[in-house]
Amino acid sequence: MTTTTSPAGNATAINGQASTGEQTEQQASKPKVDVRVKALRRFAAAITLFTIAGHLVLGFEQSPLTPIVSVLVAYAAALLMERVDSWARGVTPEYAGGAHAMVVFLLPPHITALACAMLLYGNASLWPYIFAVMVATATKYVIRIRVRGRLRHILNPSNVGIAATLLLFPWVGIAPPYHFTNGVTGALNWFIPLAILTAGTALNAKLTGKLPLILAWVGGFVAQAVLRWLFLDHSLVAALLPITGVAFILYTLYMITDPATSPSKTRNQVIFGVTTAAIYGILVVSGIVFGLFFALVITCALRGLVLLAEAKLGHLRPVIRQRLPLQRVPGRAASAPAPAGGHG
C-alpha cells in the first residue's frame, strides 16, 4: 500500500513546522520568571493582607502605627545600607535599574518589618520594633560569607531581629497567641488558621520547594515533645500545644522556610528542620523561653559555619592535590615525560 502526499499537504506540513518554530522562538524570547521574586511577592502580599485584617478585624493588640513605622524604617535602613555597601565594594546597588528593581529590592525589608511588627509586643513603645528592624537589616550586611563567589547572609533577618530584641529587653515579649483571632468568634476561629495553613503550604510547595524542611521541622518538634514526655515526665499535651497556635503556623510556613537562609537540597532541608527542633527541645529543657526564635538563630549560625568550612575546603583542595605525590599503578613503570616537540 502506497501513500501519496499532495502539494497542499506538504505546504501544510511546512507551515506547521514554521509556526512551531515561531512559537519556540517566542517562548525562548520570553523572560524567565524568577521563582524567588515570585515567592517574595506572594509572601509580601500575604503578610500585608494579614496585617491589615489583623488590625481591622482580628484584634491585633499592637498600635496600628506599629507596622507603618516598621515598614518605613525598614525601607530607609535597607536603602541606606545597600548604598553604603555597594559604594564600599564598588558595585551597583541592587535597587538601581528602575521601578521594578526598586520594588524587588524592597520586598524583603517589607516582609521583615511586618513580621517584627506582628510577632513582637512592646506595649505602647515603638522603639523595640524599630530596634528589631534595624538589627534584622544590619545582619544582612554585617554577617555574611562568600559562597561560590557571592556574598550571602546566613541569619534569617526577621527572626534574628526578634531574637535580639527578646534577649536584650526582657520586658518585651511575643504577641499573645490569642490576638491572631481575638476579634472573631465561631467558625472563623478555625477558618483563619486553616486558611493560613492552606495558603502557606501551597506557596512553599509551588515556589520555595521547602516541604521537606517543613515536614522535618514538624516531625522533629513532635519527636522532641514525645522524648520529653517519656524521659523527663513533661506533659505531652503541653509539649504539643504550640502546634495548634497561629503563631506556630506562621513560624513554620513563613519564617523557617526563608529561601535565602535555608537549604535547597532535600537532605539538607531535613537536617535543618530536625536540627532546629532538637535545639528547641534542648532550650525548653534548659528553661529558656521563646525557644522557637533562638533555635532558628542557632541553626542558621551552624549552617553558616558548615558553608564556611565547605568554602575553605574548596579552596584547599587544589593545593592539596598539587602537593600530593603521584600515585603509581602497581606493575607499571612511571611514564616518562614526552620529549619536547614529540607527539607523545
Side-chain angles (χ1 to χ4, degrees), residues 6-21:
S6 65
N10 289 335
T12 304
I14 293 173
N15 291 335
Q17 291 176 0
S19 62
T20 303

Side-chain angles (χ1 to χ4, degrees), residues 130-223:
I130 297 174
F131 175 82
V133 169
M134 292 295 293
V135 170
T137 306
T139 56
K140 294 182 64 174
Y141 294 92
V142 176
I143 306 177
R144 298 185 295 187
I145 61 175
R146 190 170 294 277
V147 180
R148 300 181 184 91
R150 293 182 58 189
L151 284 173
R152 292 174 51 183
H153 64 280
I154 59 173
L155 298 180
N156 184 301
S158 55
N159 180 76
V160 74
I162 292 172
T165 305
L166 294 173
L167 184 63
L168 295 177
F169 308 105
W171 60 272
V172 178
I174 291 296
Y178 62 80
H179 94 150
F180 293 102
T181 54
N182 190 34
V184 296
T185 57
L188 284 177
N189 278 321
W190 294 95
F191 175 77
I192 291 173
L194 183 60
I196 297 172
L197 180 62
T198 303
T201 303
L203 179 62
N204 282 286
K206 293 182 178 180
L207 298 179
T208 67
K210 301 295 182 180
L211 285 185
L213 193 158
I214 293 172
L215 295 175
W217 153 245
V218 175
F221 188 92
V222 173

Side-chain angles (χ1 to χ4, degrees), residues 317-339:
R317 280 173 182 169
V319 179
I320 295 173
R321 288 173 182 172
Q322 289 177 0
R323 293 183 179 180
L324 286 177
L326 293 176
Q327 295 182 355
R328 295 186 177 182
V329 179
R332 291 186 182 179
S335 59

Side-chain angles (χ1 to χ4, degrees), residues 36 39-40 43 107-109 111-112 115 136 139-140 152-160 200 203-204 207-211 213-214 217 250-265 269 272 276 296 300 303:
R36 175 181 172 274
L40 285 173
F43 273 114
L107 287 176
I111 296 169
T112 296
T139 56
K140 294 182 64 174
R152 292 174 51 183
H153 64 280
I154 59 173
L155 298 180
N156 184 301
S158 55
N159 180 76
V160 74
L203 179 62
N204 282 286
L207 298 179
T208 67
K210 301 295 182 180
L211 285 185
L213 193 158
I214 293 172
W217 153 245
L250 292 172
Y251 175 90
T252 299
L253 298 176
Y254 294 96
M255 183 169 287
I256 197 174
T257 57
D258 176 32
T261 56
S262 60
S264 55
K265 294 182 179 179
Q269 288 188 43
F272 190 89
T276 306
L296 185 54
C300 288
R303 177 174 177 263

Side-chain angles (χ1 to χ4, degrees), residues 47 50-51 53-55 57-62 114-115 117-120 174-184 188-189 191-193 196 244-251 293:
I47 196 170
F50 191 58
T51 298
H55 285 280
V57 179
L58 303 181
F60 282 14
E61 296 195 345
Q62 300 96 337
L114 292 184
M118 180 187 301
L119 295 175
L120 281 173
I174 291 296
Y178 62 80
H179 94 150
F180 293 102
T181 54
N182 190 34
V184 296
L188 284 177
N189 278 321
F191 175 77
I192 291 173
I196 297 172
T244 63
V246 176
F248 184 90
I249 298 174
L250 292 172
Y251 175 90
F293 302 99

